[in-house]
Amino acid sequence: RRMESHAAPVSRAQITADVAAEVRRRFGTPCYVYDRAALEGAARAALAFPAPFGLTVRYAMKANPSRGILTLFRDLGLHVDASSDYEVERALRAGFAPDRVQLTSQMPSRVLREHVARGVLFNACSLHQLEEFGRLAPGGEVSVRMNPGLGTRSTKRTNTGGPASSFGIWHEAMGEVAAIARRHRLRVRRLHSHVGSGTDPEVWKRCARMTLDLVPALPEVAIVNLGGGFKVGRMPEEPSVDLVDVGAHVRREIEEFRVRDGRPLHLEIEPGTFLVANAGAIVASCVDVVDTGAEGYLFAKLDAGMPEITRPSLYGAQHPIDVLARGREQAAVVFVGPCCESGDILTPAPGDPEALAPRWVPRPEIGDLVVVGGAGAYCAGMATINYNSYPQAPEAMLGSDGRLTLLRRRQAPEQVWQNEV
């Protein structure tokens, strides 16, 4: 309750009935829509994160790699964290300078030599990756990602730290990190950890301290990267992180480290969800309504589902859903997608993708416009496109002047099978 009462309001996409109608008329449904004003507001909040010795905000582009969003954040001064070689290429194509792009990948790089030559920053996520970098760039500067032994996410599928996570170099292997660095004369300038710390400032304080406790073993570290995991509530009852409160705790930890060690560490953070989740929505159409009787449910079938948003099916994640109809009686409705797949459910029970949780909304009718909110992060970038051969949905940007700009066309049907030989 304390965190909820102090957290600053989270900017949300403003998709009115008029905007949704224009989206359907111009681009068809389903269509992703991103609100530029909400994106800018979230970026400004992240850039204000308190850091006593300098701050870099690095957008975790896996949340949404749309070029329209990347170029907006580029112009606002954000850097990028890429999770694959392919994301590196997309960031460079969007105009990011190589030294503003960091590669943090589970998979060894296909083109590490090329990245080194171009000046892309490399974040070694395993001893093997660090050794590989040392052979290719002896004497070079590198970052290492450590697993500090703590995980804080709500499900194992979203956990990025602790013994149940494969991400990063286990903290007890710090001696091996130092040995590889000496062998190849590497300068380990960044120490990175990411455990997804959510909304609790005390957890962020603990994570920061655990990360900082690893720094003394690497005397050339000048930058500490605490990763992302700044939770935002997509649903009204869900809490959002208070960056000011979290920042105050992290700032104190960095200042106290300066007193102990003498190093003024530059801070990096990697928000993804925080920057884009509530700045995006999916405009969909109701294509059918099915009633399964007194002991069953009232189902509203949308033309948007797993091909556009998989989080509800994967995690039981919750997204706000608005039926844009006025003056109609309320009904308990289960929303489903178009796929021939029993798991294509948009309203599962919280945290349980196998249970149904009806929403009280205006009773849907065929042809209604429906807006699925909180769809800016891990939706377009993590969708099961082409399942049942549905084409990839278009993306549009809602400008501060209310104008809609197309960011990506709808995939043509022949593009679905164009690589078949």
Side-chain angles (χ1 to χ4, degrees), residues 4-169:
E4 291 180 31
S5 64
H6 286 84
V10 178
S11 299
R12 297 180 184 273
Q14 301 300 312
I15 310 300
T16 64
D18 288 342
V19 169
E22 183 181 355
V23 168
R24 181 159 67 180
R25 178 179 60 82
R26 290 180 56 189
F27 312 127
T29 59
C31 179
Y32 300 96
V33 182
Y34 309 120
D35 188 320
R36 183 184 182 95
L39 291 166
E40 290 175 341
R44 283 193 293 269
L47 288 165
F49 193 89
F53 308 114
L55 174 72
T56 297
V57 177
R58 198 174 285 284
Y59 173 50
M61 64 177 283
K62 63 189 173 78
N64 191 323
S66 169
R67 185 172 183 175
I69 290 175
L70 288 173
T71 54
L72 172 62
F73 287 160
R74 178 203 67 198
D75 292 344
L76 290 173
L78 274 62
H79 296 213
V80 155
D81 181 72
S83 294
S84 70
D85 292 319
Y86 305 101
E87 285 193 347
V88 170
E89 296 304 325
R90 292 182 80 168
L92 296 176
R93 180 174 175 268
F96 281 91
D99 63 357
R100 290 195 165 203
V101 179
Q102 173 181 272
L103 173 61
T104 306
S105 176
Q106 281 284 86
M107 182 175 176
S109 173
R110 300 172 300 112
V111 288
L112 183 55
R113 187 183 300 276
E114 181 180 330
H115 292 330
V116 170
R118 286 190 294 189
V120 171
L121 305 176
F122 183 65
N123 193 17
C125 297
S126 70
L127 296 173
H128 168 68
Q129 288 188 12
L130 185 60
E131 187 77 54
E132 181 185 27
F133 181 85
R135 288 194 299 267
L136 285 174
E141 185 174 306
V142 70
S143 171
V144 292
R145 176 174 181 171
M146 303 300 298
N147 182 334
L150 175 70
T152 60
R153 296 303 300 212
S154 57
T155 73
K156 290 184 178 179
R157 291 182 182 179
T158 56
N159 183 44
T160 56
S165 172
S166 66
F167 294 97
I169 301 169

Side-chain angles (χ1 to χ4, degrees), residues 52-54 221-223 254 257-259 261-267:
F53 308 114
V221 166
I223 301 167
I254 292 176
F257 180 85
R258 166 72 183 273
V259 173
D261 187 273
R263 270 183 277 183
L265 295 173
H266 183 98
L267 176 65

Side-chain angles (χ1 to χ4, degrees), residues 153-225:
R153 296 303 300 212
S154 57
T155 73
K156 290 184 178 179
R157 291 182 182 179
T158 56
N159 183 44
T160 56
S165 172
S166 66
F167 294 97
I169 301 169
W170 187 244
H171 62 98
E172 293 174 340
M174 185 61 77
E176 294 176 70
V177 170
I180 293 172
R182 286 193 301 271
R183 184 159 60 248
H184 298 288
R185 296 176 286 106
L186 297 176
R187 301 181 65 209
V188 181
R189 297 286 288 167
R190 283 179 177 80
L191 183 69
H192 174 281
S193 70
H194 171 49
V195 297
S197 302
T199 61
D200 191 341
E202 288 297 327
V203 175
W204 275 99
K205 176 180 176 181
R206 182 182 173 195
C207 292
R209 186 174 299 165
M210 291 177 71
T211 302
L212 292 171
D213 284 346
L214 299 175
V215 173
L218 300 170
E220 292 190 276
V221 166
I223 301 167
V224 63
N225 185 323

Side-chain angles (χ1 to χ4, degrees), residues 126-407:
S126 70
L127 296 173
H128 168 68
Q129 288 188 12
L130 185 60
E131 187 77 54
E132 181 185 27
F133 181 85
R135 288 194 299 267
L136 285 174
E141 185 174 306
V142 70
S143 171
V144 292
R145 176 174 181 171
M146 303 300 298
N147 182 334
L150 175 70
T152 60
R153 296 303 300 212
S154 57
T155 73
K156 290 184 178 179
R157 291 182 182 179
T158 56
N159 183 44
T160 56
S165 172
S166 66
F167 294 97
I169 301 169
W170 187 244
H171 62 98
E172 293 174 340
M174 185 61 77
E176 294 176 70
V177 170
I180 293 172
R182 286 193 301 271
R183 184 159 60 248
H184 298 288
R185 296 176 286 106
L186 297 176
R187 301 181 65 209
V188 181
R189 297 286 288 167
R190 283 179 177 80
L191 183 69
H192 174 281
S193 70
H194 171 49
V195 297
S197 302
T199 61
D200 191 341
E202 288 297 327
V203 175
W204 275 99
K205 176 180 176 181
R206 182 182 173 195
C207 292
R209 186 174 299 165
M210 291 177 71
T211 302
L212 292 171
D213 284 346
L214 299 175
V215 173
L218 300 170
E220 292 190 276
V221 166
I223 301 167
V224 63
N225 185 323
L226 295 183
F230 299 92
K231 178 179 172 56
V232 293
R234 288 174 167 88
M235 299 292 287
E237 66 274 13
E238 293 177 347
S240 293
V241 67
D242 184 341
L243 284 187
V244 175
D245 199 0
V246 166
H249 284 74
V250 172
R251 179 187 185 116
R252 282 194 293 272
E253 291 299 320
I254 292 176
E255 289 174 335
E256 290 173 7
F257 180 85
R258 166 72 183 273
V259 173
R260 295 194 305 271
D261 187 273
R263 270 183 277 183
L265 295 173
H266 183 98
L267 176 65
E268 290 191 357
I269 57 174
E270 293 178 359
T273 297
F274 178 86
L275 291 171
V276 294
N278 284 322
I282 298 169
V283 176
S285 296
C286 179
V287 296
D288 208 345
V289 179
V290 175
D291 192 327
T292 57
E295 300 301 318
Y297 298 93
L298 179 64
F299 291 95
K301 297 184 179 182
L302 306 184
D303 59 2
M306 289 172 59
E308 291 75 37
I309 176 171
T310 59
R311 298 183 73 252
S313 298
L314 285 176
Y315 313 133
Q318 303 295 296
H319 288 258
I321 299 180
D322 295 317
V323 178
L324 302 184
R326 294 181 178 178
R328 207 178 287 170
E329 66 172 340
Q330 298 278 306
V333 179
V334 173
F335 289 89
V336 300
C339 291
C340 186
E341 178 63 54
S342 58
D344 193 6
I345 304 292
L346 295 174
T347 52
D352 184 358
E354 297 189 15
L356 304 180
R359 303 280 181 86
W360 281 95
V361 295
R363 187 181 182 91
E365 296 179 0
I366 295 172
D368 282 346
L369 281 164
V370 178
V371 175
V372 181
Y378 300 102
C379 290
M382 199 174 71
T384 59
I385 63 168
N386 300 161
Y387 184 56
N388 288 172
S389 295
Y390 283 109
Q392 187 178 33
E395 294 176 301
M397 182 76 78
L398 178 63
S400 302
D401 57 1
R403 295 183 180 180
L404 285 163
T405 303
L406 186 65
L407 299 180

